[in-house]
């Protein structure tokens, strides 16, 4: 077996992307029992954090075109996971709220994903996990 040359050795950005792809794949696998697509779960997560969003606001949080989010909301509403309700500040508009089923699903998915992440990161020492978390939070806040 030959060693990779320096041009074949992944740089830090490549390594981060590899880990991110692995976590994304594992997260999708962890959500499989609930038969929910990752982009649907992301929408539910945003709504759970910012309940009462309008469709355009959800699109902005997800960084997608407003027309794209309509299909996602329709699918989640048809499953009984969220509801459109009149906006208390403007009765002509609607806001998105999770149903009890949506909140329950978010709890279950969250537990499954956290358990999977704990398993994935268990190969690191507690100190390394704390350092990685600190570093990632620093990078995340830097934008």
């Amino acid at each position: 077996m030959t060693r990779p040359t320096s041009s074949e050795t992944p740089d830090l950005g490549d390594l981060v992307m590899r880990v991110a792809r692995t976590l994304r794949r594992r997260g999708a696998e962890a959500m499989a029992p609930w038969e929910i697509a990752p982009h649907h779960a992301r929408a539910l997560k945003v709504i759970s954090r910012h309940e009462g969003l309008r469709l355009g606001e959800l699109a902005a949080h997800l960084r997608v075109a407003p027309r794209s989010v309509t299909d996602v909301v329709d699918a989640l509403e048809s499953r009984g996971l969220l509801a459109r309700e009149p906006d208390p500040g403007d009765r002509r508009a609607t806001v998105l709220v999770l149903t009890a089923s949506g909140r329950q699903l978010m709890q279950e998915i969250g537990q499954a994903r956290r358990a999977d992440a704990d398993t994935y990161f268990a190969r690191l020492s507690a100190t390394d996990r704390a350092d990685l978390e600190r570093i990632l939070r620093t990078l995340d806040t830097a934008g």
Side-chain angles (χ1 to χ4, degrees), residues 6-7 15 19 29 34 41 52 54 58 68 71 81 90-91 94 97 105-106 136 143:
S6 62
S7 64
L15 290 170
V19 170
E29 290 169 1
W34 293 275
R54 292 183 180 184
L58 175 60
S68 300
D71 291 338
L81 300 173
D90 181 355
R91 289 184 297 167
T94 59
V97 295
L105 178 71
M106 289 307 302
L136 292 174

Side-chain angles (χ1 to χ4, degrees), residues 3-138:
R3 292 191 66 124
T5 64
S6 62
S7 64
E8 295 171 341
T9 303
D11 64 21
L12 185 58
D14 291 334
L15 290 170
V16 169
M17 293 304 294
R18 284 183 186 183
V19 170
R21 280 191 294 274
T22 298
L23 288 171
R24 194 170 22 257
R25 178 186 49 77
R26 290 175 65 110
E29 290 169 1
M31 291 186 294
W34 293 275
E35 298 179 351
I36 187 160
H39 63 285
H40 288 173
R42 278 187 61 225
L44 287 173
K45 191 172 193 176
V46 169
I47 295 165
S48 72
R49 288 183 177 162
H50 308 281
E51 194 131 359
L53 288 177
R54 292 183 180 184
L55 279 171
E57 294 169 322
L58 175 60
H61 279 280
L62 296 174
R63 296 182 179 135
V64 299
R67 65 185 173 277
S68 300
V69 84
T70 301
D71 291 338
V72 171
V73 169
D74 288 345
L76 294 171
E77 187 176 34
S78 72
R79 286 187 62 179
L81 300 173
L82 65 77
R84 290 177 170 102
E85 294 184 353
D87 185 333
D90 181 355
R91 289 184 297 167
R92 296 169 297 166
T94 59
V95 294
L96 304 170
V97 295
L98 293 183
T99 62
S101 296
R103 280 189 287 283
Q104 179 66 33
L105 178 71
M106 289 307 302
Q107 284 182 330
E108 292 172 8
I109 287 174
Q111 289 171 347
R113 292 192 72 183
R114 280 187 299 279
D116 182 67
D118 288 347
T119 299
Y120 180 74
F121 290 110
R123 67 189 82 191
L124 300 177
S125 70
T127 301
D128 285 348
R129 284 192 306 272
D131 287 345
L132 178 60
E133 182 176 358
R134 178 186 51 75
I135 291 164
L136 292 174
R137 285 187 190 282
T138 300

